[in-house]
Amino acid sequence: VMIGDVIPPSAIALFNSPIMLSSMNWTLELVTPLDAETRAGWLRFDSELTTAGDGYGWENTSIWSCRGELVALSRQCVALFG
């Protein structure tokens, strides 16, 4: 489960200098169980900033196994202080 929250929110890319941000909420849906072989491989994160405005950003992330299987779906809302 920890790997689902390892990448920084994509809303950071909206700013030219470092900013503070805070997770408002975060959900993780586990889609496909990983066997021992797949757990030893890499994972690909496809993250998309869905929208941002008024100090908030919403993003969706798909996490894929080295076999191309959808492993998990992550959704997050962040508060942006910048």
Side-chain angles (χ1 to χ4, degrees):
V1 171
M2 289 173 42
I3 195 77
D5 198 31
V6 72
I7 62 172
S10 53
I12 290 176
L14 297 174
F15 298 88
N16 294 324
S17 60
I19 63 161
M20 293 178 51
L21 55 85
S22 179
S23 294
M24 300 295 291
N25 64 21
W26 176 61
T27 61
L28 181 67
E29 299 174 40
L30 303 175
V31 177
T32 304
L34 298 177
D35 58 28
E37 182 181 337
T38 307
R39 278 194 304 270
W42 53 263
L43 295 172
R44 186 181 86 212
F45 288 69
D46 291 334
S47 186
E48 174 187 21
L49 182 63
T50 307
T51 191
D54 297 324
Y56 298 95
W58 292 266
E59 73 174 45
N60 293 311
T61 302
S62 301
I63 304 171
W64 302 87
S65 75
C66 57
R67 294 181 179 166
E69 300 168 315
L70 181 62
V71 173
L73 296 169
S74 172
R75 292 180 177 82
Q76 184 174 32
C77 175
V78 294
L80 308 167
F81 307 100

